[in-house]
Amino acid sequence: MEIDIEKYLKKTSLFNCLNSFQLARLGRAIAIKSYKKDSLIFSEGDPASGFYIVAEGKVKVYKLSPQGKEYIMNVFASGQTIAEVTAFSGKDYPAYAQAVTNSTLLFLPKLALLDILREYPEIALRMLAALSQRQRRFAEMIEDLSLRDVTCRLAKYLLRLAQERQSNTFNLDMQKSELALKLATIPETLSRNLKKLKIRKMISLKDNRVTILNPQALRKLAENL
């Protein structure tokens, strides 16, 4: 499969600082991997032999409870990196990764990564920034689950998507059944809360397409005010 590796590297926050020569150097160490929808990419506890960049498709990263209940930590799309901090630290993968759609990923082996970090230390600084951002996200996740109800968590999620897309009209980045898992609820409860936001004219919703009609009210709800 022909794919422009450098184009996708340039899309990532880790590698968009590199020039064409450096990107070419990095690209020679990368393997292209294709996964069918629902294919497992790695499991929790597997040795972290490297990290992934999503070129095409979507990948979810999730944890399983002792009872087998799934909790989605994040969904990654084109240009986003998966498990870069884990590969850098040398620990095992702390969660599961699964293709949500047919996906093409770029895989950078850990040993090649270490060689590149020695050669281009500015990438290591980018990785430290990524780690800091990831820690803040986990702290917010714990706070949301412990202090906010489902309606507040849903409002915060919709506002975050709007900010990322830079538009108050956008498609949900996952199926509603998966979104329910991410918000630590069940599909029926999620549907009731989406309907509640529609009735209160905070959003409109058709299939998976959302328009935020009243951002201020939704923000107050997200902040539990």
Side-chain angles (χ1 to χ4, degrees):
M1 177 180 180
E2 290 293 329
I3 188 168
D4 188 345
I5 292 177
E6 292 182 30
K7 180 184 78 171
Y8 291 108
L9 291 177
K10 197 67 178 176
K11 288 176 67 174
T12 71
S13 59
L14 290 183
F15 303 126
N16 60 15
C17 60
L18 303 183
N19 59 38
S20 297
F21 176 81
Q22 293 168 331
L23 289 171
R25 161 74 176 83
L26 187 62
R28 288 194 294 272
I30 281 176
I32 300 172
K33 300 197 173 192
S34 297
Y35 295 90
K36 296 289 187 182
K37 179 182 177 181
D38 296 330
S39 295
L40 198 61
I41 298 165
F42 57 76
S43 298
E44 181 176 355
D46 286 349
S49 55
F51 79 95
Y52 296 83
I53 300 163
V54 181
E56 298 171 354
K58 290 184 179 179
V59 173
K60 68 177 179 180
V61 172
Y62 63 95
K63 298 275 285 185
L64 290 177
S65 72
Q67 294 75 32
K69 184 177 180 180
E70 180 180 308
Y71 175 71
I72 297 177
M73 302 173 69
N74 210 343
V75 175
F76 296 88
S78 180
Q80 294 183 296
T81 55
I82 303 172
E84 71 279 11
V85 174
T86 303
F88 181 65
S89 68
K91 296 182 179 179
D92 296 338
Y93 292 121
Y96 295 83
Q98 185 178 30
V100 176
T101 64
N102 292 342
S103 302
T104 302
L105 307 184
L106 310 181
F107 177 73
L108 181 60
K110 179 171 63 178
L111 294 179
L113 170 64
L114 293 175
D115 287 341
I116 290 166
L117 290 179
R118 295 186 189 100
E119 196 169 344
Y120 306 116
E122 63 266 35
I123 298 177
L125 296 177
R126 297 269 178 140
M127 295 188 77
L128 288 174
L131 174 59
S132 176
Q133 185 179 23
R134 198 71 53 85
Q135 286 179 321
R136 285 197 299 271
R137 189 177 300 154
F138 285 149
E140 289 178 2
M141 189 185 301
I142 293 169
E143 180 182 344
D144 287 347
L145 291 174
S146 59
L147 300 179
R148 290 181 172 87
D149 62 19
V150 174
T151 308
C152 296
R153 297 201 294 271
L154 175 59
K156 187 173 181 180
Y157 161 81
L158 294 175
L159 289 168
R160 180 180 60 78
L161 274 188
Q163 183 179 23
E164 290 176 357
R165 309 292 169 79
Q166 297 183 333
S167 172
N168 280 339
T169 298
F170 51 85
N171 290 326
L172 297 177
D173 60 352
M174 62 186 80
Q175 297 298 316
K176 290 174 187 174
S177 58
E178 295 173 327
L179 177 56
L181 291 173
K182 181 175 177 61
L183 298 178
T185 187
I186 59 176
E188 293 79 8
T189 301
L190 174 64
S191 295
R192 284 198 298 271
N193 278 276
L194 284 168
K195 185 176 180 179
K196 184 189 302 184
L197 295 182
K198 288 174 62 179
I199 291 171
R200 295 169 68 176
K201 298 190 183 304
M202 293 187 186
I203 67 168
S204 67
L205 175 66
K206 185 175 182 181
D207 297 325
N208 268 19
R209 190 156 185 83
V210 177
T211 297
I212 296 178
L213 303 174
N214 191 337
Q216 185 176 7
L218 198 64
R219 193 168 293 109
K220 285 184 178 180
L221 181 60
E223 293 170 357
N224 208 16
L225 297 178

